[in-house]
Amino acid sequence: MPQMTFVEQDGTERTVDAPLGLSVLEIAHKHGVDLEGACEGSLACATCHVIVDPTWAAKLTEPTDDEEDMLDLAFGLEKTSRLGCQIVMTEDLDGLVVRLPRTA
């Protein structure tokens, strides 16, 4: 099974199983990672904002205009910011690393 690593706000790294077809948001919830997702993945908020490790950012599909619009509402944006609900685990993403933003 693929795995991914969450870097929590305090810098703690947590590597978890990441079932294919689940979003980063769903994987976070499955493993008790503190990633809110207030809209439950319907692309109506920015509370599942994550920062993708730069080595992985190019492997993701480009964000849609809707995702870009929602990211404009997020705090602590960085060049590789994405919404966790829009990143779906594939075999190619085995080993993905995302960091939770320090600000909320």
Side-chain angles (χ1 to χ4, degrees):
M1 174 177 296
Q3 293 190 319
M4 68 169 293
T5 300
F6 290 94
V7 181
E8 299 192 41
Q9 292 172 332
D10 66 0
T12 302
E13 293 186 10
R14 188 189 308 185
T15 300
V16 299
D17 288 335
L20 297 174
L22 291 186
S23 70
V24 167
L25 175 62
E26 292 168 318
I27 294 165
H29 287 175
K30 179 178 175 64
H31 295 287
V33 174
D34 188 21
L35 188 59
E36 185 176 345
C39 73
E40 298 178 356
S42 65
L43 196 53
C45 74
T47 59
C48 65
H49 168 222
V50 295
I51 300 152
V52 178
D53 185 280
T55 59
W56 286 96
K59 296 180 182 186
L60 300 178
T61 59
E62 291 293 317
T64 64
D65 288 342
D66 288 340
E67 181 180 359
E68 291 282 359
D69 289 345
M70 284 294 107
L71 279 169
D72 288 342
L73 304 174
F75 293 98
L77 282 181
E78 295 189 19
K79 185 177 180 180
T80 60
S81 288
R82 294 293 301 268
L83 296 180
C85 67
Q86 298 301 297
I87 303 171
V88 176
M89 184 54 67
T90 65
E91 288 285 353
D92 292 339
L93 295 180
D94 185 14
L96 175 68
V97 178
V98 300
R99 179 170 44 90
L100 305 182
R102 294 190 190 277
T103 58

